[in-house]
Amino acid sequence: MKDTQKTATLTFDDKSIELPMHSPTAGPDVIDIRRLYAEGGVFTYDPGFTSTAACDSTITFIDGGKGELLHRGYPIDQLAEKSHYLEVCYLLLYGELPSAAELEEFETLVTRHTMLHEQMINFFRGFRRDAHPMAIMVGVVGAMSAFYHDSTDISDPHQREVATFRLIAKMPTIAAMAYKYTIGQPFIYPRNDLDYASNFLRMCFAVPAEDYEVDPILARAMDRIFTLHADHEQNASTSTVRLASSSGANPFACIAAGIACLWGPAHGGANQACLEMLGEIGSVDRIPEFIARAKDKDDPFRLMGFGHRVYKNFDPRAKVMKQSADEVLDLLGVENNPRLQVAKELEKQALADPYFADKKLFPNVDFYSGIILDAMGFPTSMFTPIFALARTVGWISQWKEQISDPALKIGRPRQLYMGETMRDYVNIENR
Ligand code: SDX
């Protein structure tokens, strides 16, 4: 980080503390408070980290005001249009776009690691058939540390690299197996002659009795959805992965923690919740009723797929997703999909409403993704597993960046304690 020579002076009680400031290459300056407790005897307080930078990073930058998302400096709309997921994986992991030879080597390595250790199939059999696929993914990814011992030592750069390829390569296989298990169909093995997105679609929709011909337009849409979900700065699940990895936990355990966090409806679970909400609204004439509920302070209902901690403008991923939704649904002949009609009208009415405009609430990445996935034939329970599959490279890139930092310290936040002060035990007969 660039030292600005600027300082911030904090004055309280009889103290005045001068703190250094750092300037980023993009975004706001930061006040470095690492010395604050030692010199001032106070903590800062920021429960949702709304004003707190927990790390420095060179991977992804979001300009929430402009609605811009950059991966290693490249805008997401250009990557979504001109690149493809595995090339974006390379960019996130290594910082530069690959040459043709580098990309071929990278894609070959991923392709050759897509199979899962055969004995891991037993883990799936331990779940009930009606288990949520996210529960299965948390369990199976965490269990990878019990099968791939030769890539759990994070102090060994080679083992870190092997774990990286195993996770990126095997997540589609695990997600597809979780889906097949919950619908009672046999697992379909990956094939090395298919690209990453086509392989995933085939593992989900082929059956032993009849193969599945992957439509290249659907494969392109699937790949684009992966790209749009690849990384997103220090969101809740990425922060979870960073905190887990700060203790030295192995990569599989850290990614399993990220999957668990992503599952929440306020985060990656919003795509499932959004499609369910669009189904509950049902028709455009019921939209005003739901907008009123979303604005009602006494009603916990929120418009799923709307709002964002960082974006106070359109989520650029939502824009690309909206275009993709039109293309895919036209291709599938479901352009008059009722939920797409409701989504478009809901967006229009919400954005025209002062409540949403004043609070700068816009559609986010989860608002349209579910409509595409639903049209492609996925059940809502598979929406967040697909998000987790795609975000694995972001979690790993951030994990690698953090553990290769020699100044890494274990993450250990403090608190504002509001509980009882010291008091003596009272025997039960005296209570
Ligand atoms: C993702 O962080 C990331 O980068 C996440 C993500 C990624 O790629 O990793 O982008 C993926 O998680 C996208 C977000 C998906 N979640 C949803 O769509 C769920 C619905 N959205 C909200 O729950 C909410 O907008 C959050 C959780 C996304 C953001 O919440 P914040 O930043 O903590 O904002 P807030 O809850 O303090 O809301 C600010 C105000 C509140 O009103 P006031 O108390 O100020 O009066 O806006 C209101 C909220 O009530 N508000 C909403 C709303 N979202 C916020 N009101 C109605 N509907 C909504 N969706």
Side-chain angles (χ1 to χ4, degrees):
M1 63 195 88
K2 286 189 295 184
D3 279 326
T4 63
Q5 304 313 316
K6 275 194 324 189
T7 61
T9 304
L10 202 50
T11 306
F12 57 95
D13 300 340
D14 56 351
K15 297 187 183 82
S16 178
I17 298 175
E18 204 156 357
L19 297 164
M21 293 183 73
H22 308 303
S23 268
T25 49
D29 284 357
V30 301
I31 299 173
D32 186 333
I33 58 168
R34 284 177 286 188
R35 297 195 328 248
L36 178 59
Y37 182 54
E39 292 184 17
V42 293
F43 297 149
T44 58
Y45 182 64
D46 185 13
F49 307 119
T50 49
S51 306
T52 297
C55 63
D56 52 86
S57 180
T58 61
I59 299 171
T60 291
F61 176 71
I62 300 170
D63 184 321
K66 294 180 188 164
E68 285 174 359
L69 167 58
L70 308 179
H71 289 319
R72 303 288 191 179
Y74 295 99
I76 189 64
D77 46 331
Q78 291 184 29
L79 292 172
E81 186 195 336
K82 298 175 179 171
S83 185
H84 63 277
Y85 181 68
L86 284 187
E87 184 176 74
V88 171
C89 287
Y90 185 100
L91 175 66
L92 290 169
L93 287 166
Y94 304 114
E96 296 296 338
L97 289 169
S99 65
E102 289 165 335
L103 180 59
E104 188 188 356
E105 182 191 5
F106 182 78
E107 293 189 335
T108 302
L109 264 174
V110 171
T111 300
R112 294 198 177 287
H113 283 79
T114 51
M115 285 178 67
L116 205 55
H117 189 297
E118 192 68 5
Q119 201 174 324
M120 288 195 76
I121 288 180
N122 299 330
F123 273 102
F124 290 83
R125 304 218 188 291
F127 289 95
R128 284 171 44 133
R129 290 284 180 173
D130 60 356
H132 194 292
M134 283 298 277
I136 298 174
M137 287 186 80
V138 171
V140 171
V141 172
M144 286 174 78
S145 52
F147 282 83
Y148 298 108
H149 302 104
D150 59 344
S151 59
T152 52
D153 175 359
I154 62 168
S155 64
D156 175 350
H158 173 68
Q159 292 198 29
R160 295 204 294 259
E161 203 65 1
V162 171
T164 295
F165 279 100
R166 280 176 167 155
L167 280 159
I168 292 173
K170 296 178 194 318
M171 285 300 265
T173 309
I174 293 168
M177 289 170 75
Y179 172 53
K180 285 302 204 186
Y181 185 75
T182 58
I183 59 172
Q185 288 186 2
F187 299 136
I188 298 294
Y189 286 86
R191 274 194 4 209
N192 290 353
D193 61 330
L194 295 176
D195 65 67
Y196 194 83
S198 301
N199 218 351
F200 174 64
L201 288 170
R202 183 180 166 276
M203 287 191 283
C204 288
F205 297 128
V207 287
E210 181 182 325
D211 210 347
Y212 171 81
E213 209 46 47
V214 182
D215 183 311
I217 295 182
L218 288 192
R220 178 71 189 127
M222 188 80 263
D223 187 272
R224 185 177 293 160
I225 286 178
F226 292 158
T227 297
L228 293 172
H229 288 83
D231 189 48
H232 214 237
E233 283 191 2
Q234 307 311 318
N235 58 83
S237 52
T238 298
S239 300
T240 300
V241 171
R242 279 183 172 262
L243 198 54
S245 86
S246 73
S247 74
N250 75 70
F252 305 111
C254 294
I255 300 304
I259 296 171
C261 177
L262 185 75
W263 195 358
H267 189 14
N271 50 21
Q272 172 173 345
C274 180
L275 201 84
E276 288 162 355
M277 174 192 74
L278 294 173
E280 190 189 351
I281 295 173
S283 62
V284 294
D285 58 334
R286 291 195 65 201
I287 287 174
E289 170 197 336
F290 283 82
I291 287 184
R293 283 187 58 196
K295 291 160 62 176
D296 178 355
K297 280 278 150 258
D298 299 325
D299 188 331
F301 173 79
R302 285 191 165 184
L303 287 187
M304 302 318 283
F306 250 80
H308 199 276
R309 171 61 59 75
V310 177
Y311 289 122
K312 300 310 170 192
N313 198 322
F314 239 93
D315 180 333
R317 302 168 296 173
K319 280 185 181 172
V320 178
M321 206 71 86
K322 185 176 176 181
Q323 290 157 13
S324 206
D326 284 328
E327 284 165 24
V328 171
L329 271 68
D330 281 349
L331 169 87
L332 296 173
V334 287
E335 60 278 7
N336 58 357
N337 174 308
R339 283 190 279 208
L340 179 60
Q341 306 317 321
V342 169
K344 287 185 173 178
E345 183 58 26
L346 174 60
E347 174 196 326
K348 202 167 95 189
Q349 292 190 25
L351 294 184
D353 187 303
Y355 174 91
F356 295 90
D358 295 347
K359 293 180 187 295
K360 299 190 184 304
L361 300 175
F362 291 84
N364 59 49
V365 67
D366 295 307
F367 191 66
Y368 286 102
S369 57
I371 291 165
I372 302 173
L373 295 172
D374 174 59
M376 293 169 94
F378 289 104
T380 52
S381 61
M382 275 302 289
F383 292 2
T384 311
I386 288 168
F387 193 152
L389 182 175
R391 182 54 56 87
T392 295
V393 67
W395 291 329
I396 289 175
S397 303
Q398 303 270 350
W399 165 76
K400 284 181 74 172
E401 180 177 70
Q402 174 168 282
I403 56 174
S404 49
D405 176 357
L408 173 62
K409 294 170 75 67
I410 189 168
R412 203 298 187 190
R414 306 305 298 270
Q415 64 178 7
L416 171 63
Y417 178 67
M418 301 298 282
E420 294 287 346
T421 52
M422 177 88 78
R423 55 180 173 165
D424 292 328
Y425 181 81
V426 178
N427 292 331
I428 193 157
E429 59 272 16
N430 300 325
R431 287 176 208 161

